[in-house]
Amino acid sequence: MDSTVATGTEDKIWGGGNRPLRASYGKLMMWFFIVSDALTFSGFLAAYGFSRFKFINEWPIADEVFTHVPFLHGQELPMIYVAFMTFVLIMSSVTMVLAVDAGHHMNKAKVTIYMFLTIIGGAIFVGSQAWEWATFIQGDYGAVQSKGGNILQFGEYVTVDGVEKFKRVSIDDIAIPIADVRVEHERKNGLWFSEEASLPPYTVNEIYAGLQANENVLVRTQFIDENGHKTVLSRAESLKQIKENGQLVVKGANLEVNEYGTTLFADFFFFITGFHGFHVFSGVLINIIIFFNVILGTYERRGSYEMVEKVGLYWHFVDLVWVFVFTFFYLV
C-alpha cells in the first residue's frame, strides 16, 4: 500500500515549500556567492585603505604611474587608457542587460548578439589589463632604492607654456657604464651548482657618475610636500643621497621593489587587480559556454533563459567591483 503523503509542493524547485524571495534555487545560490565574494573584495580594499593611510605622505601618485597608452609611446596621457578600460567594461554590462531582457522575450537572435558583444568587451578588458601589468612591471624611468627602502627618482625642471614643472628623466639617459662592473653569476661562469637572480640594469656607482655629469638632473624623493607634489632635493643634496644612501637600482615593479614608490603599492596593485582580472577572465569563459548553448538552442528547448540571467548577475557584480577598484587605485 502506498503511504506517500502529498504536500502540494511537488512542483516547486525547492521541493519543501515556497520559494524564498520568489527566486529559483540557482539564482539564490548565485546571490550567496556574490555576497561572500563582495566581503572578500571588501577586506582587500579595506586593507589597501589602511596601508595607504599609514603611508599617506609617500604613496605613489596615480597620475604619474598610469600614463601609458598602447601605440602612443613617449606620450604621457594620465588615466586615459584606464578610463577606456572602465568604459568598455561598463558597456559590456549594458549589453548583458540587453541579453537578459531579450531572453525574457525568448528572442534567441538578440540574446546571441548581445552575449557576443559582452564577450568581446570582457576580452578587451582582460587584454588591456594584461598590457597594463606588463607596462607596470617593465617600468619607465627607473630609480634608486636607498638603504632605508625609500625610492629616489630623477628629473629636471623644464618650462612648458611659461610654467616650470619637474620632468622625469630615465636612468637609461644618465647612467654612465663603468668597465669593472661585476658579471652576473651563472652556472657556466661560476660554481657549477649555483646561480643568482638577474643583476640590476645599472649599479649605483654608474648612476652616481651619470648624475655628476648631468648638472641639471636632480633627485626627487617619494615623500609628498604640502603642495601635493613629490619633494625635489637640491643639487648638492641629490648627489649626497645617491652617494651615501643609494643601495639598489630598480626599474619597474614587482613584489620586492617598486620604482614608483613604496613596495606596498605594487603588492596591492598586483593582488587586487589580479584577483579582479581572474574574475573577469572566468566570466568571459562562462559567457562563452553560455553563448554556445544559446546558439545550440539549449535554452529555447528549456523554455527559459534563466541561465543567462544568472551569469548576468555575476557579470554585473564584476563590473561593480571594478568601479570600487578603479576609485581606490586610480582616483583617490
Side-chain angles (χ1 to χ4, degrees), residues 76 155-168:
E76 294 190 1
E156 59 184 351
Y157 282 105
V158 296
T159 301
V160 180
D161 297 330
V163 179
E164 189 179 53
K165 60 180 296 187
F166 186 82
K167 181 180 180 182
R168 293 283 303 278

Side-chain angles (χ1 to χ4, degrees), residues 31-280:
W31 277 112
F32 283 157
F33 168 78
I34 288 174
V35 170
S36 63
D37 216 24
L39 293 175
T40 303
F41 273 105
S42 298
F44 293 158
L45 293 176
Y48 173 87
F50 281 119
S51 298
R52 176 165 184 175
F53 180 77
K54 181 178 180 180
F55 299 98
I56 191 170
N57 292 324
E58 52 190 292
W59 205 255
I61 300 174
D63 282 349
E64 296 181 354
V65 178
F66 307 105
T67 62
H68 303 84
V69 176
F71 311 114
L72 295 177
H73 301 293
Q75 299 186 33
E76 294 190 1
L77 302 170
M79 312 302 292
I80 295 298
Y81 196 63
V82 179
F84 167 75
M85 292 167 51
T86 304
F87 173 77
V88 170
L89 194 62
I90 291 176
M91 290 306 298
S92 72
S93 192
V94 173
T95 56
M96 178 59 80
V97 169
L98 296 174
V100 172
D101 181 69
H104 290 162
H105 294 86
M106 299 300 293
N107 191 327
K108 176 182 174 181
K110 286 189 176 181
V111 174
T112 303
I113 293 174
Y114 291 131
M115 285 295 297
F116 178 76
L117 293 176
T118 301
I119 293 170
I120 294 300
I124 291 175
F125 180 86
V126 172
S128 298
Q129 197 168 53
W131 179 87
E132 186 182 44
W133 265 46
T135 305
F136 188 76
I137 293 172
Q138 181 181 0
D140 197 7
Y141 296 101
V144 171
Q145 187 179 60
S146 70
K147 295 178 182 179
N150 297 322
I151 292 298
L152 305 175
Q153 302 170 338
F154 302 91
E156 59 184 351
Y157 282 105
V158 296
T159 301
V160 180
D161 297 330
V163 179
E164 189 179 53
K165 60 180 296 187
F166 186 82
K167 181 180 180 182
R168 293 283 303 278
V169 174
S170 173
I171 59 175
D172 296 327
D173 297 330
I174 65 173
I176 297 178
I178 299 177
D180 61 349
V181 172
R182 184 171 65 89
V183 178
E184 181 179 344
H185 183 93
E186 299 178 352
R187 294 183 182 181
K188 64 182 180 181
N189 61 9
L191 298 176
W192 65 272
F193 59 84
S194 179
E195 61 183 5
E196 63 183 346
S198 299
L199 294 176
Y202 304 100
T203 65
V204 175
N205 289 334
E206 290 176 314
I207 299 298
Y208 180 73
L211 184 61
Q212 283 183 311
N214 293 271
E215 298 181 354
N216 294 328
V217 177
L218 302 172
V219 167
R220 187 179 73 167
T221 70
Q222 67 183 32
F223 299 101
I224 300 176
D225 58 23
E226 62 276 5
N227 298 320
H229 303 293
K230 299 291 184 179
T231 303
V232 180
L233 304 179
S234 65
R235 176 68 181 172
E237 188 64 25
S238 297
L239 291 169
K240 179 181 178 181
Q241 282 292 326
I242 299 300
K243 184 176 182 178
E244 298 181 0
N245 295 326
Q247 183 179 41
L248 178 68
V249 178
V250 300
K251 191 166 187 181
N254 52 50
L255 297 179
E256 296 180 356
V257 294
N258 175 17
E259 75 163 61
Y260 309 102
T262 176
T263 307
L264 272 177
F265 176 81
D267 295 342
F268 277 114
F269 177 80
F270 288 127
F271 192 77
I272 295 179
T273 63
F275 192 58
H276 176 266
F278 172 76
H279 279 70
V280 178

